[in-house]
Amino acid sequence: IDRYPILETSDMQGAIWLPLDGMANPTYVTQSLAKGARLLGERVVERTRVTGISTRDGAVTGVNTDHGDIEAEIVVNCAGQWAKALGDMVGVTIPLHSAEHFYVVTEQIDGVDRLMPILRDPDGYTYMKEEVGGLVVGGFEPVAKPWVAPDEIPYPFEFQLLDEDWDHFEILMESALHRLPILNRTGIKKFYNGPESFTPDNQFILGEAPTLRNFFVAAGFNSVGIASAGGAGKALAEWIVGGEPPSDLVSVDIRRFAPFNGNNSWLRERVGEVLGLHYAVPWPNREFQTARPFRRSPVHHLVEAAGASFGSRMGWERPNFFAPPGQTRVIDYSWGKQNWIPWVDDEQRATRSAVALYDQTSFGKLLVRGRDAEAVLQWLCTADVDVPVDRTVYTGVLNERGTYEADVTLTRLAHDEFLWVTSSASVVRDADWITRHVSADQQVSVTD
């Protein structure tokens, strides 16, 4: 109450105060960074539209703008909701789709000052923060309102807003009125509605495109951009200079996506769910519900008939567990013991003591072949891959730091051909890792 005197607390069970939390103005931060760059001799050009990206021999060579062409050995796509359209120009998949994001700015409120903590009410999907003596009231509603497809964004559009939609904002406003009753007596100065782009898994996108050398991406930050900017910028700079991620960045690596993730219809369906996850409970083993099913095994119907509860990985519908007859085949989300553990235990016992059949359709499979296939794989893999034809080797794949890039099985199909089997989510990363380590004088092809 002392820290937030206008807060309704009668129905609250508790709250958390983060004393080191703070607020930064993104405009001021951006201007400060631009000023620092200029002091170091860099040139910042505003109001310049990128009309194309130049490439040669699989590498980026510059950008084309409405003010002329710019040569560049390195291009970083930080174009926010426009990043996908720029990637499409050169065949780079950058899965982003915008949703409408709503907030209001109130008139001044007695008792509100600039040192008042930012208030987040995840149960009510809302946030509130001080703004010139009043409050910014916004939130992340459970079901979002997707905007136009990335390739349909009107031009020009920067610094513009969308139409008001009080009906869609109602769920947020009702929650805010309950948590801060004073809003019932406070005027609204401005209603804001602006598009904000989201990725299919609610994590941002960082790294070098697997299909175009020296073309880097930093996009999809949605509502964590200002909080992530410093660390993400440092990581990307080190990635550019060092030639590989400086640490484990798998969860944000652009190579976690496949071309199908760039399908606008698929993205539109998913973004309605993703925005709401910002304030949803992050249950262990939570599965996305939208844009499914997408990929299914040829024996999907048989697995389903056996009682499978399906999850999704790289678009594939895969069984998480099999529910016994008469049991509901759903994940009962909780922080404690999971409802499916006894059933999975039975699967493991049956596998150990009898026979089990596994459908590996969803696994990533790469054919690595050519005159120098063995030499390249010997360099990349921790195990000895020089085995007879039809033998399989289980091996790690390490980076310069000695940490894992992949964990795979290799089967030698011929003296110059290997089958690389990896997890379904890693197939794009693995293919990129192999090809970028094939030197100019080596003959190796990698086929998904």
Side-chain angles (χ1 to χ4, degrees):
I1 293 297
D2 293 338
R3 301 199 179 279
Y4 222 99
I6 60 175
L7 188 65
E8 170 60 48
T9 61
S10 61
D11 61 339
M12 289 174 54
Q13 295 183 350
I16 298 174
W17 176 49
L18 304 177
L20 298 181
D21 205 356
M23 184 169 66
N25 185 310
T27 301
Y28 295 163
V29 172
T30 303
Q31 291 174 345
S32 297
L33 290 170
K35 181 179 179 180
R38 290 189 183 98
L39 292 174
L40 292 172
E42 303 302 328
R43 184 183 178 200
V44 178
V45 183
E46 299 184 67
R47 299 194 179 279
T48 301
R49 187 186 190 194
V50 174
T51 58
I53 299 169
S54 303
T55 66
R56 185 172 57 250
D57 298 329
V60 71
T61 58
V63 295
N64 316 116
T65 79
D66 56 2
H67 284 59
D69 299 339
I70 303 172
E71 293 183 3
E73 295 181 2
I74 302 288
V75 172
V76 184
N77 181 350
C78 304
Q81 68 174 347
W82 292 271
K84 183 180 187 298
L86 287 179
D88 288 342
M89 292 179 177
V90 285
V92 174
T93 300
I94 305 174
L96 291 172
H97 198 294
S98 291
E100 300 186 24
H101 183 57
F102 307 89
Y103 64 95
V104 297
V105 178
T106 74
E107 302 285 355
Q108 290 191 350
I109 302 173
D110 290 340
V112 171
D113 63 76
R114 66 183 185 86
L115 295 181
M116 182 177 286
I118 296 172
L119 177 67
R120 300 178 182 89
D121 178 12
D123 288 336
Y125 322 116
T126 52
Y127 62 83
M128 299 86 164
K129 58 184 178 180
E130 187 273 340
E131 177 90 357
V132 197
L135 288 174
V136 169
V137 180
F140 299 95
E141 65 276 22
V143 180
K145 183 180 178 183
W147 194 41
V148 299
D151 55 2
E152 297 175 359
I153 298 175
Y155 176 80
F157 184 80
E158 63 270 22
F159 308 117
Q160 295 188 40
L161 297 174
L162 304 176
D163 295 334
E164 297 179 357
D165 188 341
W166 285 98
D167 290 339
H168 194 84
F169 189 70
E170 182 178 8
I171 187 173
L172 301 177
M173 198 64 204
E174 285 185 352
S175 174
L177 291 172
H178 169 72
R179 190 55 59 205
L180 300 179
I182 197 171
L183 293 177
N184 288 284
R185 309 186 302 274
T186 304
I188 301 297
K189 186 169 17 177
K190 179 71 175 178
F191 183 105
Y192 289 91
N193 178 15
E196 192 171 20
S197 62
F198 292 81
T199 63
D201 60 3
N202 217 17
Q203 297 284 352
F204 57 83
I205 299 173
L206 206 67
E208 184 178 9
T211 53
L212 184 61
R213 294 194 311 278
N214 298 334
F215 185 78
F216 289 81
V217 178
F221 288 88
N222 51 70
S223 295
V224 299
I226 189 64
S228 305
K234 181 176 184 290
L236 186 63
E238 293 174 349
W239 193 332
I240 293 171
V241 172
E244 63 182 51
S247 58
D248 182 3
L249 297 173
V250 169
S251 63
V252 298
D253 194 322
I254 187 174
R255 296 171 296 177
R256 71 187 187 274
F257 294 119
F260 81 85
N261 292 118
N263 179 285
N264 286 337
S265 298
W266 188 91
L267 285 169
R268 182 178 181 85
E269 186 174 346
R270 174 59 60 85
V271 75
E273 178 183 12
V274 166
L275 180 145
L277 295 180
H278 272 66
Y279 279 1
V281 177
W283 296 114
N285 308 302
R286 190 191 187 283
E287 292 283 352
F288 288 103
Q289 300 300 312
T290 54
R292 293 176 58 188
F294 188 78
R295 291 169 159 174
R296 285 184 285 197
S297 161
V299 296
H300 177 90
H301 62 294
L302 300 177
V303 179
E304 186 175 34
S309 173
F310 291 95
S312 179
R313 193 69 166 168
M314 193 56 102
W316 289 103
E317 293 292 313
R318 306 200 309 185
N320 285 329
F321 57 83
F322 291 85
Q327 298 288 338
T328 305
R329 57 178 81 179
V330 296
I331 301 175
D332 184 13
Y333 292 124
S334 72
W335 297 107
K337 185 176 181 180
Q338 305 292 294
N339 67 304
W340 43 262
I341 285 181
W343 308 334
V344 172
D345 287 348
D346 289 341
E347 291 176 32
Q348 295 181 36
R349 294 188 185 97
T351 304
R352 185 183 308 142
S353 61
V355 176
L357 182 66
Y358 288 85
D359 174 19
Q360 295 195 337
T361 302
S362 66
F363 275 61
K365 305 176 188 73
L366 302 171
L367 277 179
V368 184
R369 50 188 164 188
R371 183 193 67 199
D372 301 297
E374 180 190 310
V376 169
L377 293 176
Q378 287 286 57
W379 172 246
L380 293 177
C381 299
T382 57
D384 183 3
V385 304
D386 185 13
V387 295
V389 173
D390 293 334
R391 287 291 300 275
T392 295
V393 177
Y394 177 54
T395 179
V397 180
L398 308 185
N399 51 40
E400 275 195 357
R401 302 188 308 279
T403 58
Y404 274 74
E405 284 292 325
D407 178 40
V408 304
T409 56
L410 284 174
T411 302
R412 189 165 204 163
L413 305 179
H415 77 282
D416 60 351
E417 184 174 15
F418 293 80
L419 177 66
W420 174 297
V421 180
T422 186
S423 73
S424 58
S426 302
V427 64
V428 175
R429 283 183 64 249
D430 287 10
D432 179 67
W433 187 257
I434 299 168
T435 54
R436 69 173 55 246
H437 287 91
V438 177
S439 61
D441 61 346
Q442 289 179 317
Q443 294 180 9
V444 177
S445 66
V446 180
T447 306
D448 184 348

Short mmCIF file of all heavy atoms in Angstrom, two decimals, residues 373-403:
data_model
loop_
_atom_site.label_atom_id
_atom_site.label_comp_id
_atom_site.label_asym_id
_atom_site.label_seq_id
_atom_site.Cartn_x
_atom_site.Cartn_y
_atom_site.Cartn_z
N ALA A 373 33.06 -36.22 -47.91
CA ALA A 373 32.09 -36.32 -46.83
C ALA A 373 32.72 -36.87 -45.55
O ALA A 373 32.53 -36.34 -44.46
CB ALA A 373 30.91 -37.20 -47.26
N GLU A 374 33.50 -37.94 -45.69
CA GLU A 374 34.12 -38.53 -44.50
C GLU A 374 35.07 -37.54 -43.83
O GLU A 374 35.07 -37.40 -42.60
CB GLU A 374 34.86 -39.81 -44.86
CG GLU A 374 35.53 -40.46 -43.66
CD GLU A 374 36.46 -41.60 -44.05
OE1 GLU A 374 36.03 -42.48 -44.82
OE2 GLU A 374 37.62 -41.60 -43.57
N ALA A 375 35.87 -36.86 -44.61
CA ALA A 375 36.85 -35.93 -44.03
C ALA A 375 36.16 -34.80 -43.27
O ALA A 375 36.59 -34.42 -42.17
CB ALA A 375 37.73 -35.36 -45.14
N VAL A 376 35.08 -34.26 -43.84
CA VAL A 376 34.36 -33.16 -43.17
C VAL A 376 33.74 -33.66 -41.88
O VAL A 376 33.82 -33.02 -40.82
CB VAL A 376 33.29 -32.58 -44.11
CG1 VAL A 376 32.35 -31.64 -43.34
CG2 VAL A 376 33.94 -31.83 -45.26
N LEU A 377 33.12 -34.83 -41.91
CA LEU A 377 32.47 -35.36 -40.72
C LEU A 377 33.50 -35.75 -39.65
O LEU A 377 33.23 -35.59 -38.44
CB LEU A 377 31.59 -36.56 -41.09
CG LEU A 377 30.37 -36.21 -41.96
CD1 LEU A 377 29.62 -37.48 -42.36
CD2 LEU A 377 29.45 -35.24 -41.24
N GLN A 378 34.65 -36.23 -40.05
CA GLN A 378 35.70 -36.53 -39.08
C GLN A 378 36.14 -35.26 -38.35
O GLN A 378 36.46 -35.29 -37.16
CB GLN A 378 36.91 -37.18 -39.76
CG GLN A 378 36.70 -38.62 -40.20
CD GLN A 378 36.71 -39.60 -39.03
OE1 GLN A 378 35.91 -39.47 -38.10
NE2 GLN A 378 37.60 -40.59 -39.09
N TRP A 379 36.15 -34.15 -39.07
CA TRP A 379 36.55 -32.87 -38.47
C TRP A 379 35.48 -32.37 -37.50
O TRP A 379 35.79 -31.82 -36.44
CB TRP A 379 36.80 -31.85 -39.58
CG TRP A 379 37.03 -30.45 -39.11
CD1 TRP A 379 36.24 -29.36 -39.30
CD2 TRP A 379 38.14 -29.97 -38.34
NE1 TRP A 379 36.77 -28.25 -38.72
CE2 TRP A 379 37.94 -28.59 -38.12
CE3 TRP A 379 39.29 -30.58 -37.82
CZ2 TRP A 379 38.84 -27.80 -37.40
CZ3 TRP A 379 40.19 -29.81 -37.10
CH2 TRP A 379 39.97 -28.44 -36.90
N LEU A 380 34.20 -32.58 -37.85
CA LEU A 380 33.10 -32.03 -37.06
C LEU A 380 32.74 -32.89 -35.86
O LEU A 380 32.31 -32.37 -34.82
CB LEU A 380 31.85 -31.85 -37.93
CG LEU A 380 31.91 -30.81 -39.04
CD1 LEU A 380 30.61 -30.83 -39.84
CD2 LEU A 380 32.15 -29.42 -38.47
N CYS A 381 32.89 -34.20 -35.97
CA CYS A 381 32.34 -35.13 -34.98
C CYS A 381 33.38 -35.55 -33.95
O CYS A 381 34.58 -35.64 -34.24
CB CYS A 381 31.78 -36.36 -35.67
SG CYS A 381 30.41 -35.99 -36.81
N THR A 382 32.91 -35.84 -32.74
CA THR A 382 33.82 -36.30 -31.69
C THR A 382 34.16 -37.78 -31.83
O THR A 382 35.22 -38.22 -31.38
CB THR A 382 33.17 -36.07 -30.31
OG1 THR A 382 31.92 -36.74 -30.26
CG2 THR A 382 32.95 -34.60 -30.06
N ALA A 383 33.28 -38.56 -32.43
CA ALA A 383 33.52 -39.99 -32.61
C ALA A 383 34.17 -40.26 -33.96
O ALA A 383 34.15 -39.41 -34.86
CB ALA A 383 32.21 -40.77 -32.48
N ASP A 384 34.72 -41.43 -34.10
CA ASP A 384 35.34 -41.85 -35.36
C ASP A 384 34.23 -42.33 -36.29
O ASP A 384 33.54 -43.32 -36.02
CB ASP A 384 36.33 -42.98 -35.08
CG ASP A 384 37.06 -43.42 -36.35
OD1 ASP A 384 36.85 -42.81 -37.42
OD2 ASP A 384 37.84 -44.39 -36.26
N VAL A 385 34.05 -41.63 -37.42
CA VAL A 385 32.98 -41.98 -38.36
C VAL A 385 33.49 -42.88 -39.48
O VAL A 385 32.71 -43.26 -40.36
CB VAL A 385 32.32 -40.72 -38.95
CG1 VAL A 385 31.81 -39.81 -37.84
CG2 VAL A 385 33.29 -39.96 -39.86
N ASP A 386 34.76 -43.23 -39.47
CA ASP A 386 35.31 -44.11 -40.51
C ASP A 386 34.98 -45.55 -40.16
O ASP A 386 35.81 -46.31 -39.65
CB ASP A 386 36.82 -43.90 -40.62
CG ASP A 386 37.42 -44.71 -41.77
OD1 ASP A 386 36.64 -45.22 -42.60
OD2 ASP A 386 38.65 -44.84 -41.82
N VAL A 387 33.72 -45.92 -40.41
CA VAL A 387 33.23 -47.25 -40.08
C VAL A 387 32.76 -47.94 -41.36
O VAL A 387 32.57 -47.28 -42.39
CB VAL A 387 32.07 -47.17 -39.07
CG1 VAL A 387 32.54 -46.61 -37.74
CG2 VAL A 387 30.92 -46.33 -39.62
N PRO A 388 32.57 -49.25 -41.32
CA PRO A 388 32.09 -49.94 -42.53
C PRO A 388 30.70 -49.46 -42.94
O PRO A 388 29.93 -48.91 -42.13
CB PRO A 388 32.06 -51.41 -42.08
CG PRO A 388 33.00 -51.49 -40.92
CD PRO A 388 32.91 -50.18 -40.23
N VAL A 389 30.36 -49.69 -44.19
CA VAL A 389 29.03 -49.36 -44.70
C VAL A 389 27.98 -50.10 -43.88
O VAL A 389 28.17 -51.26 -43.50
CB VAL A 389 28.94 -49.73 -46.20
CG1 VAL A 389 27.50 -49.55 -46.69
CG2 VAL A 389 29.89 -48.87 -47.02
N ASP A 390 26.88 -49.40 -43.60
CA ASP A 390 25.74 -49.91 -42.82
C ASP A 390 25.99 -49.92 -41.32
O ASP A 390 25.14 -50.41 -40.56
CB ASP A 390 25.29 -51.31 -43.28
CG ASP A 390 24.72 -51.31 -44.68
OD1 ASP A 390 24.20 -50.25 -45.10
OD2 ASP A 390 24.77 -52.35 -45.37
N ARG A 391 27.08 -49.35 -40.87
CA ARG A 391 27.32 -49.20 -39.43
C ARG A 391 26.89 -47.80 -38.99
O ARG A 391 27.02 -46.83 -39.73
CB ARG A 391 28.80 -49.42 -39.09
CG ARG A 391 29.26 -50.86 -39.17
CD ARG A 391 28.64 -51.71 -38.06
NE ARG A 391 29.01 -51.20 -36.73
CZ ARG A 391 30.14 -51.53 -36.10
NH1 ARG A 391 31.01 -52.37 -36.67
NH2 ARG A 391 30.39 -51.05 -34.91
N THR A 392 26.40 -47.71 -37.75
CA THR A 392 25.91 -46.44 -37.20
C THR A 392 26.82 -45.99 -36.06
O THR A 392 27.27 -46.81 -35.25
CB THR A 392 24.47 -46.59 -36.68
OG1 THR A 392 23.61 -46.86 -37.79
CG2 THR A 392 23.99 -45.32 -35.99
N VAL A 393 27.08 -44.69 -36.02
CA VAL A 393 27.93 -44.10 -34.99
C VAL A 393 27.13 -43.01 -34.26
O VAL A 393 26.50 -42.16 -34.89
CB VAL A 393 29.19 -43.46 -35.61
CG1 VAL A 393 30.03 -42.78 -34.54
CG2 VAL A 393 30.00 -44.49 -36.36
N TYR A 394 27.15 -43.07 -32.94
CA TYR A 394 26.54 -42.02 -32.12
C TYR A 394 27.63 -41.03 -31.74
O TYR A 394 28.68 -41.43 -31.22
CB TYR A 394 25.90 -42.64 -30.87
CG TYR A 394 25.31 -41.65 -29.92
CD1 TYR A 394 24.36 -40.71 -30.34
CD2 TYR A 394 25.65 -41.67 -28.57
CE1 TYR A 394 23.81 -39.81 -29.47
CE2 TYR A 394 25.09 -40.77 -27.67
CZ TYR A 394 24.16 -39.84 -28.12
OH TYR A 394 23.61 -38.95 -27.25
N THR A 395 27.40 -39.74 -31.99
CA THR A 395 28.49 -38.78 -31.83
C THR A 395 28.00 -37.40 -31.44
O THR A 395 26.87 -37.00 -31.76
CB THR A 395 29.31 -38.67 -33.14
OG1 THR A 395 30.35 -37.71 -32.97
CG2 THR A 395 28.42 -38.25 -34.30
N GLY A 396 28.86 -36.70 -30.75
CA GLY A 396 28.64 -35.28 -30.50
C GLY A 396 29.26 -34.45 -31.60
O GLY A 396 30.13 -34.92 -32.35
N VAL A 397 28.79 -33.20 -31.72
CA VAL A 397 29.33 -32.24 -32.68
C VAL A 397 29.61 -30.97 -31.89
O VAL A 397 28.69 -30.35 -31.36
CB VAL A 397 28.34 -31.97 -33.82
CG1 VAL A 397 28.92 -30.98 -34.82
CG2 VAL A 397 27.94 -33.27 -34.53
N LEU A 398 30.88 -30.60 -31.81
CA LEU A 398 31.28 -29.52 -30.91
C LEU A 398 31.69 -28.26 -31.67
O LEU A 398 32.04 -28.30 -32.84
CB LEU A 398 32.44 -29.97 -30.03
CG LEU A 398 32.26 -31.28 -29.26
CD1 LEU A 398 33.46 -31.52 -28.34
CD2 LEU A 398 30.96 -31.28 -28.46
N ASN A 399 31.65 -27.14 -30.94
CA ASN A 399 32.10 -25.87 -31.49
C ASN A 399 33.48 -25.53 -30.94
O ASN A 399 34.11 -26.35 -30.25
CB ASN A 399 31.09 -24.76 -31.19
CG ASN A 399 30.74 -24.71 -29.70
OD1 ASN A 399 31.60 -24.88 -28.84
ND2 ASN A 399 29.47 -24.49 -29.40
N GLU A 400 33.93 -24.32 -31.22
CA GLU A 400 35.28 -23.91 -30.79
C GLU A 400 35.43 -23.91 -29.28
O GLU A 400 36.52 -24.10 -28.74
CB GLU A 400 35.60 -22.51 -31.34
CG GLU A 400 36.17 -22.52 -32.74
CD GLU A 400 36.81 -21.19 -33.09
OE1 GLU A 400 36.77 -20.27 -32.25
OE2 GLU A 400 37.37 -21.07 -34.19
N ARG A 401 34.32 -23.68 -28.56
CA ARG A 401 34.37 -23.64 -27.10
C ARG A 401 34.38 -25.04 -26.50
O ARG A 401 34.47 -25.19 -25.28
CB ARG A 401 33.18 -22.86 -26.54
CG ARG A 401 33.07 -21.43 -27.04
CD ARG A 401 31.98 -20.66 -26.31
NE ARG A 401 30.69 -21.35 -26.31
CZ ARG A 401 29.84 -21.32 -27.33
NH1 ARG A 401 30.14 -20.64 -28.42
NH2 ARG A 401 28.69 -21.96 -27.25
N GLY A 402 34.22 -26.07 -27.34
CA GLY A 402 34.16 -27.42 -26.84
C GLY A 402 32.79 -27.80 -26.30
O GLY A 402 32.65 -28.80 -25.60
N THR A 403 31.77 -27.00 -26.62
CA THR A 403 30.41 -27.31 -26.19
C THR A 403 29.59 -27.80 -27.38
O THR A 403 29.97 -27.61 -28.53
CB THR A 403 29.74 -26.08 -25.56
OG1 THR A 403 29.73 -25.00 -26.50
CG2 THR A 403 30.51 -25.62 -24.33
#
